[in-house]
Amino acid sequence: MTRKYMAEPFKIKVVEPIAMTTREQREEAIKRAGYNTFLLRSKECYIDLLTDSGTTAMSDNQWAGMMLGDEAYAGSVNFYQLEGAVQDLYGFKHVVPTHQGRGAENLLSQIAIKPGDYVPGNMYFTTTRAHQELNGANFVDIIIDEAHDSASEHPFKGNVDLNKVKALIEKVGAEKIAYICLAVTVNLAGGQPVSMQNMKELRALTQPLGIKIMFDATRCVENAFFIKEREAAYADKSIREIVKEMFSYGDGATMSGKKDCLVNIGGFLAMNDDMLYQKATQLVVLYEGMPSYGGLAGRDMEAMARGMYESVDYYYIKHRVEQVRYLGERLEEAGVPIVKPIGGHAVFLDARRFLPHIDQDQFPAQALAANLYVEGGVRSMERGIISAGRDKQGNNYHPKLELVRLTIPRRVYTYAHMDVVADSVIELYKQRDSIKGLEMIYEPPVLRFFTARFQPLV
């Protein structure tokens, strides 16, 4: 059918050739990679949807800013540009640059967590939970139950269940809660947003008890777009106004600039608390660099500052979300099981329903991702039992969501590429009964999904 879609709000000035491979070449490549799409080489991928982290196409304005890098060891002009952007757009007082988001997670976990503390969050994220647990915290999932149901159409599946928060406070006491980690949007739930109303209510519950709210702000602009779409009170608000209000209900944030700041590397830890900031500046010197550059060159901070302003442009974010939605709607119309509502950065295939004949302990999402690469040269990512990892006793977590993430890089692919992806997934869905499970033949001790290796079950 003929469908309408929003044209790109940009024009293409530089192009990069991409790989055109045969099925035989892809079969050999995935075997060599141990059936782990992370271990494929980028030149072997036709359409690379592994992640939207650092895969952004930067603008001419950002590239121009790169030429203005002040590489002074301390007090770089570009740091003050970045600091000003964070204060202006997000409203936080202090900024500590880091090499990327997990650098900020590391700093926050070390300065805010004591062994035995609890860190409630609206669903875990892999590196975030790893840093929290390595510093002695107990992660507690406080997301609403609908988030674990891929078919639920709840408009804000990233919301916190306030009753779960109250129950945890009653059980362990407010003093044992290091902070609440509030992700906007929630990646592993399918890129699902948190409503402004939920943020207000969470703040009203926790502030009198002295419990801090620290945002995982990685995809905050996408969250703001959904608020504008789905909360009537914000229909006439600008993305910039919504972002600023969102962060007014928190005490700080970790940011992977490689997503909504539209850069290829970088991140920061932001906060309002002076004492916490001093601790962060002491620790960043050990792990990253001077407090005024962290792990970044001046040019990288300049590109991030400029990207932050570009990200709150309504037409940019509208195109981004609608391109993701276009792919999801094509798959949904063909009967392919996906997480609904369609998220802001990716379409998530429901591997449980796609491959019901494969037991979760045979890694259906990993098998699906490997077979999708062979089918169409499309690289995607497992987000299920392998990503969930093991508990402290060494047992596999068995998450309710067993997903494959088709993650759309920002300003990189066209709608024609989305059609190629859709066609590949739909064709694979027709052949789904022929797909076999996998067994793990190598497992690293931490964050196994990055480097684990597999082989097909006979």
Side-chain angles (χ1 to χ4, degrees):
M1 62 177 286
T2 302
R3 63 179 68 237
K4 294 181 179 180
Y5 48 78
M6 178 184 173
E8 286 77 8
F10 52 83
K11 59 183 178 182
I12 298 166
K13 298 176 73 171
V14 178
V15 297
E16 175 190 349
I18 54 180
M20 306 294 288
T21 58
T22 66
R23 187 180 188 91
E24 290 72 24
Q25 289 172 325
R26 296 193 295 272
E27 287 173 344
E28 178 59 30
I30 197 67
K31 182 178 180 181
R32 185 175 62 247
Y35 298 86
N36 186 344
T37 53
F38 275 97
L39 301 180
L40 289 167
R41 299 176 181 179
S42 64
K43 68 179 184 180
E44 297 169 329
C45 304
Y46 175 40
I47 299 177
D48 197 344
L49 306 186
L50 183 73
T51 182
D52 62 333
S53 180
T55 56
T56 293
M58 292 202 304
S59 70
D60 55 355
N61 181 52
Q62 288 175 288
W63 280 109
M66 294 278 279
M67 300 305 294
L68 300 175
D70 173 11
E71 306 308 337
Y73 192 76
S76 163
V77 169
N78 311 117
F79 167 72
Y80 293 107
Q81 291 284 86
L82 175 61
E83 181 185 59
V86 173
Q87 291 170 344
D88 182 27
L89 295 173
Y90 297 171
F92 294 119
K93 182 179 178 181
H94 300 297
V95 184
V96 180
T98 58
H99 71 284
Q100 61 184 65
R102 67 195 59 175
E105 293 171 353
N106 176 40
L107 294 180
L108 177 61
S109 297
Q110 292 208 43
I111 63 180
I113 293 171
K114 302 184 301 296
D117 278 353
Y118 292 80
V119 180
N122 54 340
M123 198 173 283
Y124 79 97
F125 184 68
T126 51
T127 60
T128 314
R129 188 178 70 187
H131 283 299
Q132 292 164 354
E133 292 180 345
L134 284 170
N135 284 280
N138 301 285
F139 171 79
V140 180
D141 190 358
I142 54 169
I143 205 166
I144 61 174
D145 291 342
E146 289 89 342
H148 297 283
D149 178 2
S150 65
S152 170
E153 295 277 11
H154 192 293
F156 290 103
K157 287 167 72 173
N159 278 359
V160 166
D161 186 327
L162 298 178
N163 288 325
K164 292 180 181 179
V165 180
K166 293 174 184 176
L168 180 64
I169 293 169
E170 290 176 5
K171 179 181 177 182
V172 305
E175 68 282 356
K176 292 292 289 181
I177 297 176
Y179 57 88
I180 290 178
C181 182
L182 186 65
V184 286
T185 58
V186 181
N187 189 350
L188 295 185
Q192 302 300 320
V194 181
S195 72
M196 194 74 83
Q197 183 63 33
N198 189 244
M199 293 182 215
K200 292 178 185 178
E201 292 172 354
L202 181 63
R203 186 65 164 178
L205 171 64
T206 57
Q207 192 169 34
L209 300 172
I211 300 173
K212 285 182 167 58
I213 296 173
M214 303 299 289
F215 284 92
D216 176 346
T218 296
R219 298 182 179 87
C220 59
V221 179
E222 293 170 14
N223 200 100
F225 181 83
F226 286 124
I227 287 174
K228 183 175 176 66
E229 266 197 336
R230 298 175 185 176
E231 285 190 86
Y234 294 89
D236 297 325
K237 296 280 188 180
S238 69
I239 298 297
R240 183 168 174 167
E241 289 172 322
I242 295 170
V243 167
K244 190 74 167 283
E245 183 178 341
M246 283 168 49
F247 289 132
S248 73
Y249 301 119
D251 299 282
T254 58
M255 168 59 87
S256 171
K258 298 165 69 176
K259 285 84 167 179
D260 270 359
C261 295
L262 307 182
V263 288
N264 305 128
I265 195 68
F268 57 79
L269 173 62
M271 68 208 79
N272 293 323
D273 187 282
D274 295 338
M275 188 174 298
L276 208 60
Y277 172 65
Q278 288 301 321
K279 290 181 179 179
T281 58
Q282 294 163 20
L283 206 58
V284 75
V285 174
L286 180 63
Y287 285 99
E288 303 267 348
M290 279 290 289
S292 58
Y293 76 85
L296 296 174
R299 56 183 174 268
D300 295 321
M301 291 188 285
E302 183 68 31
M304 185 153 54
R306 295 185 181 211
M308 288 172 65
Y309 282 102
E310 292 178 12
S311 74
V312 294
D313 175 74
Y314 173 72
Y315 294 103
Y316 151 73
I317 189 59
K318 177 178 171 63
H319 171 266
R320 167 153 180 73
V321 173
E322 289 195 358
Q323 188 180 52
V324 175
R325 194 171 286 164
Y326 173 86
L327 173 60
E329 288 174 350
R330 273 215 59 197
L331 296 178
E332 190 174 14
E333 288 172 5
V336 177
I338 64 172
V339 172
K340 297 189 291 184
I342 298 162
H345 71 293
V347 176
F348 288 72
L349 307 178
D350 187 335
R352 281 184 186 274
R353 291 188 288 149
F354 199 113
L355 302 173
H357 59 286
I358 299 180
D359 186 81
Q360 191 172 24
D361 286 306
Q362 296 176 351
F363 314 126
Q366 190 73 35
L368 180 53
N371 278 271
L372 178 58
Y373 169 73
V374 172
E375 178 62 35
V378 177
R379 176 155 68 164
S380 58
M381 179 197 295
E382 181 269 358
R383 277 300 186 226
I385 186 174
I386 299 166
S387 293
R390 297 181 183 273
D391 62 23
K392 294 179 180 179
Q393 288 72 46
N395 300 311
N396 280 321
Y397 288 111
H398 287 81
K400 292 181 180 179
L401 295 176
E402 182 74 14
L403 308 174
V404 170
R405 192 180 77 179
L406 306 173
T407 332
I408 314 304
R410 295 163 181 80
R411 304 188 295 205
V412 171
Y413 292 117
T414 68
Y415 283 93
H417 291 110
M418 297 302 100
D419 282 330
V420 171
V421 175
D423 291 343
S424 298
V425 175
I426 291 166
E427 180 58 35
L428 193 62
Y429 189 56
K430 295 175 183 176
Q431 308 168 23
R432 60 191 181 277
D433 291 341
S434 66
I435 297 175
K436 294 181 171 61
L438 301 170
E439 62 175 330
M440 194 183 307
I441 58 174
Y442 166 69
E443 179 180 356
V446 180
L447 298 174
R448 60 186 183 180
F449 61 92
F450 283 124
T451 57
R453 300 181 72 87
F454 307 84
Q455 66 184 15
L457 292 167
V458 178

